[in-house]
């Protein structure tokens, strides 16, 4: 069946300026880290992408190794672009990244110029694109000079392969360094993509100040803590969840009694606000003035619908914030911590 767009889609979403750029991002963006890979995309995954666009979600975030298998999410998304969304390309913000393991050998990961540029070229080919809207250094590489990674990003930017440049999971210190290096090359560091949630608040220890000071946008990934910030784990670990998925990065060991007790306390606050815990988790992330957009991963259209409802209640009272800050303790779930430890 031919795809027919929803003409009122932009009235359904709210948008926020990204740093001091000319770009506004939707408050909710769709990440294709999980559930969009495989030799052929599932019907539900395809429906999610099209429903997201029909809901005013213009930003779709990928990386070279999203799948599994690696690269398959980009291939599948590229097929949807070709068959359903081609005429809407100029209405989309599409991003990809390089830095984590992608292919065999010494050049298949990290931050060398060899890896970064080759990976960008591969991503463009897989998606059938002439350019990306945003290209990221996916993680900090302690064994490659930051100047070399910046040179790779510079070449990608100045060759027109990416309109904007971003970094992911960099510490405040390394973010500041990258910002200054790129500025010396007359390139604006457009955006940072860190993990951030009610039980993973590391960015508040310095990164948010750095982003605000330098007018860098911020798209927070894993705002629902890979599904932990919901009621699904209150009575154990259900079969059809990330914690039971062998391809997931959500280790069962992260679902501790301590974390479940924290999540239950937060759930009480959410219910008093008339929200599910997942909805409040997204609203809370967006309440941080450094955050431009919340990047969510989705299993079903219904789940996406529920998460979008978080935008109906973005305001928090001082009492709510005080209570949340008291209950929302760090859950030691930041599996990307090594990248931001330098």
């Amino acid at each position: 069946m031919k795809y027919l767009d929803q003409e009122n889609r932009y009235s359904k979403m709210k948008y926020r300026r990204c740093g001091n750029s000319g770009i506004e991002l939707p408050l909710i963006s769709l990440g294709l880290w999980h559930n969009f890979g495989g030799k052929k995309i599932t019907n539900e995954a395809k429906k999610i992408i099209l429903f997201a666009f029909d809901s005013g979600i213009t930003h779709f975030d990928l990386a070279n190794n999203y799948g599994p298998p690696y690269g398959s999410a980009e291939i599948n998304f590229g097929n949807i672009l070709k068959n359903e969304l081609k005429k809407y390309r100029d209405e989309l913000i599409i991003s990809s990244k390089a830095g984590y393991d992608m292919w065999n050998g010494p050049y298949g990961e990290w931050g060398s110029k060899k890896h970064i540029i080759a990976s960008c070229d591969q991503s463009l080919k897989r998606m059938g694109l002439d350019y990306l809207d945003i290209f990221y250094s996916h993680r900090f590489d302690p064994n490659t000079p930051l100047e070399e990674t910046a040179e790779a990003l510079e070449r990608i930017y100045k060759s027109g392969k990416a309109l904007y440049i971003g970094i992911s999971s960099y510490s405040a210190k390394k973010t500041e360094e990258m910002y200054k290096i790129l500025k010396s090359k007359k390139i604006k560091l457009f955006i940072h993509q860190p993990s951030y949630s009610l039980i993973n608040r590391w960015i508040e220890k310095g990164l948010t100040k750095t982003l605000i000071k330098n007018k860098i946008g911020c798209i927070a990934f894993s705002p629902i803590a890979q599904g932990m910030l919901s009621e699904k784990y209150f009575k154990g670990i259900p079969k059809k969840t990330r914690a039971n998925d062998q391809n997931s990065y959500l280790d069962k060991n992260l679902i501790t009694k301590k974390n479940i007790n924290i999540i239950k306390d937060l759930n009480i606050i959410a219910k008093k606000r008339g929200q599910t815990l997942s909805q409040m988790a997204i609203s809370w992330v967006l309440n941080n003035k450094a955050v431009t957009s919340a990047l969510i991963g989705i299993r079903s259209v219904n789940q996406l619908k529920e998460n979008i409802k978080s935008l109906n209640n973005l305001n928090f009272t001082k009492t709510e914030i005080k209570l949340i800050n008291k209950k929302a303790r760090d859950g030691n779930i930041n599996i990307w911590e090594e990248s931001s430890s330098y």
Side-chain angles (χ1 to χ4, degrees):
M1 184 179 292
K2 185 178 179 181
Y3 167 67
L4 297 175
D5 65 294
Q6 296 289 316
E7 293 185 359
N8 65 337
R9 57 188 174 274
Y10 294 116
S11 65
K12 300 178 181 180
M13 181 52 57
K14 298 177 182 179
Y15 301 85
R16 189 174 286 176
R17 184 75 54 183
C18 188
N20 66 346
S21 75
I23 291 291
E24 290 184 339
L25 293 179
L27 292 193
I28 291 179
S29 299
L30 183 63
L32 277 66
W33 181 25
H34 291 289
N35 307 319
F36 298 89
K39 291 183 178 180
K40 183 179 179 181
I41 195 166
T42 65
N43 287 334
E44 187 68 15
K46 183 176 178 179
K47 288 178 183 177
I48 289 169
I49 291 171
L50 296 179
F51 182 84
F53 182 62
D54 281 335
S55 301
I57 294 176
T58 54
H59 181 24
F60 296 87
D61 179 76
L62 299 102
N64 55 357
N65 63 355
Y66 285 1
Y70 289 173
S72 61
E74 289 186 331
I75 292 171
N76 290 335
F77 184 69
N79 287 333
I80 292 175
L81 282 174
K82 179 182 177 181
N83 297 320
E84 281 84 22
L85 297 177
K86 184 176 182 179
K87 65 183 284 189
Y88 308 101
R89 173 64 183 97
D90 294 337
E91 298 181 42
L92 303 176
I93 298 291
I94 303 170
S95 61
S96 192
K97 320 177 196 69
Y100 283 98
D101 55 302
M102 179 60 193
W103 63 86
N104 294 331
Y107 321 120
E109 62 179 324
W110 294 108
S112 71
K113 193 184 297 185
K114 171 76 171 175
H115 173 72
I116 296 289
I117 293 174
S119 185
C120 180
D121 288 343
Q122 291 174 18
S123 291
L124 289 171
K125 185 176 180 180
R126 279 190 290 269
M127 288 188 276
L129 294 173
D130 297 321
Y131 71 94
L132 289 158
D133 296 281
I134 310 169
F135 190 78
Y136 289 88
S137 166
H138 206 168
R139 61 172 167 173
F140 174 72
D141 181 353
N143 298 310
T144 298
L146 201 57
E147 290 80 5
E148 180 176 340
T149 301
E151 285 172 9
L153 297 173
E154 176 188 21
R155 181 171 298 191
I156 289 167
Y157 172 79
K158 291 186 176 178
S159 66
K161 294 176 182 178
L163 303 184
Y164 299 95
I165 295 300
I167 56 176
S168 180
S169 299
Y170 276 52
S171 66
K173 178 182 177 182
K174 294 303 176 183
T175 297
E176 183 79 35
E177 289 179 22
M178 180 63 89
Y179 169 80
K180 289 179 179 177
I181 294 170
L182 289 175
K183 186 177 181 181
S184 72
K185 299 175 180 294
K186 302 188 184 307
I187 299 172
K188 169 67 177 176
L189 180 56
F190 175 68
I191 196 167
H192 189 300
Q193 186 178 133
S195 61
Y196 183 48
S197 72
L198 283 160
I199 53 175
N200 177 22
R201 301 178 63 171
W202 73 274
I203 71 171
E204 297 172 1
K205 297 177 182 178
L207 181 59
T208 49
K209 289 182 180 179
T210 298
L211 299 178
I212 292 170
K213 180 186 73 172
N214 294 311
K215 298 179 180 179
I216 301 167
C218 176
I219 180 167
F221 76 87
S222 202
I224 311 174
Q226 298 194 71
M228 286 181 65
L229 289 167
S230 67
E231 295 185 18
K232 69 178 66 172
Y233 297 112
F234 283 5
K235 296 180 180 180
I237 301 176
K239 287 185 178 180
K240 291 185 178 180
T241 57
R242 282 196 182 185
N244 255 324
D245 185 345
Q246 62 179 359
N247 295 312
S248 171
Y249 287 87
L250 179 56
D251 192 321
K252 292 180 182 180
N253 293 326
L254 298 177
I255 305 174
T256 62
K257 184 176 181 180
K258 174 188 172 184
N259 282 341
I260 292 300
N261 286 337
I262 293 171
I263 293 166
K264 285 181 176 179
D265 286 343
L266 293 170
N267 191 48
I268 294 171
I269 302 171
K271 286 185 175 181
K272 289 181 179 178
R273 284 174 49 82
Q275 291 182 306
T276 66
L277 178 53
S278 295
Q279 288 167 353
M280 186 182 79
I282 293 171
S283 299
W284 180 85
V285 162
L286 290 169
N287 191 60
N288 187 316
K289 62 182 179 180
V291 174
T292 311
S293 181
L295 182 59
I296 62 172
I298 292 295
R299 282 182 177 268
S300 69
V301 170
N302 286 336
Q303 190 181 40
L304 178 56
K305 288 178 181 178
E306 288 301 308
N307 285 345
I308 290 174
K309 289 179 183 177
S310 63
L311 304 184
N312 295 336
N313 188 6
L314 292 173
N315 297 318
F316 289 81
T317 66
K318 290 182 180 180
T319 301
E320 286 174 333
I321 290 295
K322 185 176 180 180
L323 185 57
I324 287 170
N325 285 336
K326 181 179 179 181
K327 301 294 185 181
R329 299 183 299 278
D330 192 277
N332 295 315
I333 63 164
N334 186 6
I335 61 175
W336 307 273
E337 183 176 13
E338 183 179 357
S339 176
S340 56
S341 64
Y342 297 95

